[in-house]
């Protein structure tokens, strides 16, 4: 799949964000915990969420529309051909282990942005009494009844925090997770679990205490807005010196991006829950370090790099979360960006002009960043392997076209 982007006029009007992919994936997995029916609304229609539903159906879950019925889940083994397409499927490990006493999940493998290890997940499962085996590319977890325990995460891993909370809610006794991730998607999962009857304290902080309960019941839940999708469109208005609004946003989740954009000369504000952007003036460089929430999100690093590529001055970006999240730099350089790399630091000298080129998406956020750069590059930018973008953005081209972007999918 290819996307063609041509130099566009400043974006205007409005773009509406969808529900969060990274909240939907753990919450869909968590519906397996209750053995009943859950109704989830605002799940985005993406390759990742479609694959997650396919895997859950293979396990015996009945899914139709917004309704998830896990009363007949019978299999504890996720199929490799689905798992290799979706790293997030490892989030099924905890619900299967907690509910059925076993989980056989193929190792998710790495991806372009890093090796993506799962050692923190496995260490946590062991701390809760699970037997952990790894053979033939599969992680095999067994435990008749998990017991509460104390876990310290070496890194505030989002996925490990989510998996271990889901394991602890049905364990015997109390679990303490220290140095836990505090991302909004973790908070949304906890709120969903609390609606099912889970006892969780410290939600939104880095120390979470869970009192295990004997069972959970079905409930309904609306997925929070996708802060990274929204941030990507906010940056699209900024890079084109546009003026407009992004709807369906939790403004408090945009604080790190809003602070940086303000520093760079972009006027941002809130209007009745919408995020307003006015970037008609000059845009100046800034220095950014990605950090776990509430720091600047790693998932916005590529997109802000595109903006810095055409800002006045020289900016610096330090990526502290993933070891290899700079694959978009080589492609931006092909478009005329002036970026020097030194380990996990990139130094970006703003240029007056980018030119369109044939470039390649290597991951979903890097692909989106190339599209943003294409909006201001002279001529045409053809992004190959654009299926990466479709993994994280529903109707990406249509939404951007709605704000005046010259962008479309090229049928090969
Ligand atoms: C989640 O991935 C998100 N994915 C990622 O979004 C996001 O970039 C990441 O959190 C950080 O915010 C989903 O929620 C589906 P981590 P996750 O565990 O959970 C190391 C996107 O663009 N680590 O917080 O896999 C790991 O190597 C995607 O939508 C271990 O060392 O991220 C990384 O360096 C990309 N051992 C760091 O922690 C472990 O056991 C952060 O990873 C687990 C992680």
């Amino acid at each position: 799949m290819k996307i063609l982007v041509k130099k566009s006029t400043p974006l205007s009007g409005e773009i509406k964000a969808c529900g969060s992919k990274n909240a939907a994936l753990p919450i869909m997995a968590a519906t397996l915990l209750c053995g009943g029916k859950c109704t989830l609304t605002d799940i985005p229609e993406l390759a990742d969420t479609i694959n997650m539903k396919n895997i859950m159906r293979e396990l015996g879950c009945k899914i139709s529309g917004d309704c998830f019925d896990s009363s007949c889940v019978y299999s504890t083994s996720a199929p490799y051909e689905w798992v290799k397409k979706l790293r997030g499927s490892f989030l099924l490990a905890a619900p299967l282990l907690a509910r059925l006493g076993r989980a056989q999940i193929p190792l998710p493998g790495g991806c372009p942005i890093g090796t993506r290890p799962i050692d923190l997940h496995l260490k946590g499962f062991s701390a809760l009494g699970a037997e952990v085996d790894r053979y033939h590319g599969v992680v095999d977890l067994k435990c008749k009844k998990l017991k509460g325990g104390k876990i310290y995460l070496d890194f505030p891993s989002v996925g490990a925090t989510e998996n271990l909370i889901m394991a602890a809610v049905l364990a015997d006794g109390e679990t303490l997770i220290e140095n836990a991730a505090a991302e909004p998607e973790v908070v949304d999962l906890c709120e969903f679990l609390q609606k099912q009857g889970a006892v969780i304290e410290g939600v939104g902080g880095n120390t979470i205490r869970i009192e295990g309960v004997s069972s959970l019941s079905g409930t309904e839940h609306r997925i929070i807005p996708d802060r990274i999708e929204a941030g990507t469109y906010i940056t699209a208005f900024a890079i084109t010196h546009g003026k407009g609004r992004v709807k369906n946003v939790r403004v408090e989740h945009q604080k790190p991006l809003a602070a940086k954009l303000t520093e760079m000369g972009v006027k941002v504000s809130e209007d009745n829950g919408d995020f307003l952007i006015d970037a008609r003036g000059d845009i100046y460089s800034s220095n950014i370090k990605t950090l776990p929430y509430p720091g600047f999100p790693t998932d916005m690093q590529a997109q802000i790099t595109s903006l810095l590529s055409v800002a006045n001055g020289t900016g610096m970006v330090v990526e502290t979360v993933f070891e290899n999240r700079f694959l978009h730099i080589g492609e931006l350089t092909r478009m005329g960006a002036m970026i020097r790399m030194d380990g996990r630091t990139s130094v970006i000298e703003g240029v007056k002009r980018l030119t369109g080129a044939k470039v390649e998406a290597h991951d979903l956020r890097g692909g989106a960043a190339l599209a943003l750069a294409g909006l201001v590059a002279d001529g045409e930018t053809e992004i190959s392997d654009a299926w990466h973008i479709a993994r994280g953005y529903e109707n990406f081209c249509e939404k951007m076209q709605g704000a005046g972007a010259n962008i479309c999918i090229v049928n090969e």
Side-chain angles (χ1 to χ4, degrees):
M1 172 183 159
K2 287 183 180 170
I3 285 182
L4 189 65
V5 192
K6 293 179 185 170
K7 185 164 192 164
S8 302
T9 52
L11 296 195
S12 61
E14 61 185 49
I15 298 180
K16 187 177 179 200
C18 296
S20 164
K21 165 179 83 81
N22 291 348
L25 292 172
I27 288 172
M28 288 161 75
T31 61
L32 297 181
L33 286 164
C34 70
K37 286 184 182 167
C38 292
T39 304
L40 302 180
T41 47
D42 275 7
I43 293 180
E45 192 68 12
L46 300 167
D48 278 7
T49 52
I50 292 166
N51 282 331
M52 180 63 114
K53 289 179 189 172
N54 290 333
I55 298 170
M56 292 176 69
R57 288 190 178 103
E58 291 285 312
L59 300 172
C61 191
K62 291 196 186 68
I63 302 172
S64 66
D66 295 343
C67 181
F68 289 71
D69 179 353
S70 62
S71 50
C72 308
V73 170
Y74 53 81
S75 165
T76 61
S77 173
Y80 174 66
E81 58 275 18
W82 291 114
V83 169
K84 71 180 180 188
K85 293 179 184 175
L86 172 63
R87 277 191 44 76
S89 52
F90 197 68
L91 291 166
L92 290 163
L96 289 172
L97 179 63
R99 168 103 186 280
L100 301 175
R102 189 162 189 197
Q104 296 149 287
I105 314 275
L107 278 161
C111 73
I113 62 176
T115 53
R116 311 294 292 275
I118 53 168
D119 56 310
L120 300 179
H121 299 243
L122 302 184
K123 214 159 78 171
F125 288 135
S126 301
L128 299 180
E131 197 187 316
V132 180
D133 252 338
R134 292 161 71 136
Y135 50 77
H136 308 312
V138 170
V139 171
D140 188 355
L141 305 167
K142 292 187 207 109
C143 187
K144 273 213 175 17
K145 182 70 177 169
L146 293 168
K147 284 178 188 46
K150 197 168 177 186
I151 299 164
Y152 176 83
L153 292 176
D154 300 353
F155 184 90
S157 155
V158 171
T161 302
E162 291 167 342
N163 243 335
L164 296 171
I165 289 171
M166 289 191 280
V169 292
L170 289 177
D172 257 345
E174 177 180 281
T175 295
L176 199 62
I177 304 175
E178 295 182 297
N179 198 28
E183 269 68 1
E185 295 76 29
V186 177
V187 172
D188 204 28
L189 170 66
C190 289
E191 288 175 358
F192 173 65
L193 291 168
Q194 287 170 324
K195 284 184 188 174
Q196 288 191 28
V199 178
I200 308 173
E201 286 172 9
V203 175
N206 297 114
T207 299
I208 298 178
R209 196 183 74 78
I210 298 130
E211 190 60 48
V213 293
S214 52
S215 66
L216 296 172
S217 48
T219 187
E220 50 190 68
H221 188 76
R222 178 178 298 281
I223 304 292
I224 55 167
D226 192 317
R227 62 189 168 104
I228 305 302
E229 185 203 12
T232 304
Y233 295 130
I234 288 167
T235 311
F237 278 106
I239 200 169
T240 58
H241 291 283
K243 180 175 184 294
R245 70 176 57 214
V246 177
K247 301 179 77 69
N248 193 32
V249 172
R250 287 279 179 86
V251 176
E252 68 272 20
H253 295 164
Q254 297 299 334
K255 277 191 182 147
L257 177 62
K260 278 299 161 189
L261 289 177
T262 303
E263 218 176 280
M264 295 170 75
V266 178
K267 294 188 187 69
V268 295
S269 57
E270 178 195 356
D271 171 42
N272 199 14
D274 296 345
F275 193 98
L276 301 187
I277 309 106
D278 182 348
R280 291 175 292 179
D282 288 340
I283 292 180
Y284 301 93
S285 280
S286 175
N287 297 329
I288 287 152
K289 177 183 272 193
T290 68
L291 287 167
Y293 194 87
F296 191 91
T298 174
D299 292 349
M300 280 300 301
Q301 182 256 104
Q303 298 93 308
I304 203 83
T305 298
S306 290
L307 181 58
L308 289 168
S309 298
V310 290
N312 292 303
T314 299
M316 191 166 71
V317 172
V318 183
E319 170 58 59
T320 71
V321 177
F322 287 104
E323 72 266 25
N324 188 32
R325 200 167 198 172
F326 284 119
L327 295 170
H328 48 284
I329 301 285
E331 305 303 318
L332 288 172
T333 307
R334 286 176 45 69
M335 298 173 72
M338 297 287 282
I339 304 175
R340 277 177 289 116
M341 293 302 303
D342 177 7
R344 289 196 179 197
T345 300
S346 64
V347 179
I348 303 143
E349 187 186 330
V351 294
K352 289 270 171 278
R353 183 170 178 259
L354 292 177
T355 54
K358 289 184 191 295
V359 292
E360 206 177 318
H362 294 288
D363 66 280
L364 72 161
R365 309 302 175 187
L370 296 175
L372 298 186
L375 294 175
V376 294
D378 288 344
E380 292 185 352
T381 298
E382 186 183 86
I383 305 169
S384 57
D385 285 347
W387 54 269
H388 281 289
I389 301 175
R391 282 191 49 219
Y393 295 88
E394 187 180 314
N395 299 328
F396 183 69
C397 291
E398 293 83 346
K399 288 190 178 186
M400 294 257 264
Q401 287 164 2
N406 198 332
I407 182 171
C408 63
I409 291 175
V410 175
N411 292 321
E412 289 175 277

